[in-house]
Amino acid sequence: VARTQELNTAHEVLSDAKRRREYDREIDEAKRPENSPVAHKMDVSISHDVLLRIEEFIRGTRLTVRVNDPANPNGVENYELTVPEETAPGTRFRIPRTAPFENGFVTVRVKVRPDYRFKVRGSDLRCGLRINARRAAEGGIESIPGAGVSRVSLAIPRGVSRGAVIRVPGEGLPKLRGGRGDLLVRITYRLEVSITRGGKR
C-alpha cells in the first residue's frame, strides 16, 4: 500500500508542470555542495568598472579603486591600480582582495569616460570640424586636437563636400590586440551665397 501511495504521489508531481519544476529545483539544490571551492570563489570575487579619460589610455595612469561590497563588514575596500600606457578600452585587471575575502579577486574593467570632444566607437574616435567655404574650396591643412596632448595635422582635400568624413589612421585609442584605432573627422561649413540685384532700365 505504501509503495502504491508513493507511485501515486510521484505521478501527481510529474503530471503537474509547476510541481515538477519545484521538485527538480530541490534536487539540484540538494546536489550542490554548500562549501564547494567554486561557490566560495564566486562569492569572494567581484567585478568593478572604472572610467578613464581618453588621454589616460594613451599615456597611462595610477588611481585608487574604491569597491563598496555590501557583503564586506569592514566597509569600503581601496586598491591601487596602475594602468600602463597604450591600454585599450575594455581591458581587465585582476586585483587580489583583502580580508575577509583574501581568496578572491576584484576584476577591474577600464572604460572610456564621456568626452565632449570625441565620440568613441570601439578604438576609433569621431569628431567634427567646422571650416569656412574658402578652405573647403581650396583645401589645405588644419591643426586639430588629438587623443593625447599633441595636435593632429588634418589634410583637407580641395573641393571637400559638406558632411565628408576624413580618416586619420592611427590617431584613435589603443586596440586590445595592439596598434591604434583611427580618428574620423566630419567636415562642416556654411555655403557662401551672393545676391545680385538687377537694375531697371
Side-chain angles (χ1 to χ4, degrees):
V1 176
R3 180 60 176 170
T4 301
Q5 291 177 345
E6 291 177 0
L7 292 174
N8 290 337
T9 301
H11 177 73
E12 291 177 0
V13 171
L14 294 176
S15 60
D16 187 313
K18 182 177 180 181
R19 295 180 64 184
R20 185 170 64 251
R21 286 195 298 269
E22 293 176 353
Y23 177 78
D24 292 340
R25 185 166 58 250
E26 292 176 0
I27 293 298
D28 291 339
E29 291 178 355
K31 291 180 179 179
R32 187 182 304 155
E34 293 183 1
N35 297 318
S36 67
V38 175
H40 183 62
K41 184 177 180 180
M42 290 178 62
D43 290 339
V44 299
S45 295
I46 58 176
S47 299
H48 189 77
D49 289 346
V50 170
L51 299 178
L52 300 180
R53 296 190 299 271
I54 286 176
E55 55 268 25
E56 291 177 324
F57 287 95
I58 296 173
R59 69 189 184 196
T61 187
R62 183 177 176 85
L63 67 153
T64 299
V65 179
R66 295 173 59 85
V67 178
N68 188 8
D69 185 355
N72 189 348
N74 298 327
V76 177
E77 306 168 42
N78 294 311
Y79 301 98
E80 296 300 316
L81 174 64
T82 298
V83 179
E85 60 182 23
E86 296 297 319
T87 293
T91 299
R92 288 176 167 83
F93 299 90
R94 200 165 73 154
I95 306 173
R97 294 185 75 180
T98 55
F101 305 111
E102 56 268 23
N103 293 323
F105 295 89
V106 179
T107 300
V108 179
R109 179 178 59 172
V110 289
K111 302 174 67 176
V112 181
R113 183 185 299 276
D115 191 288
Y116 71 94
R117 301 167 299 170
F118 303 103
K119 290 183 179 180
V120 181
R121 295 292 183 273
S123 292
D124 291 340
L125 296 176
R126 296 177 178 268
C127 68
L129 175 64
R130 188 177 183 86
I131 58 177
N132 57 43
R134 181 176 179 180
R135 173 67 82 192
E138 298 177 354
I141 302 296
E142 292 284 340
S143 177
I144 63 174
V149 295
S150 60
R151 297 181 69 82
V152 175
S153 294
L154 181 69
I156 307 294
R158 179 177 297 179
V160 66
S161 60
R162 288 192 299 170
V165 176
I166 301 175
R167 181 183 294 269
V168 186
E171 290 295 339
L173 289 170
K175 296 181 179 180
L176 285 171
R177 296 183 179 180
R180 296 270 291 275
D182 299 336
L183 174 63
L184 292 90
V185 184
R186 185 175 184 271
I187 302 299
T188 60
Y189 57 88
R190 179 179 297 177
L191 294 175
E192 291 184 352
V193 179
S194 59
I195 301 175
T196 303
R197 299 182 181 275
K200 294 183 179 180
R201 291 182 180 180

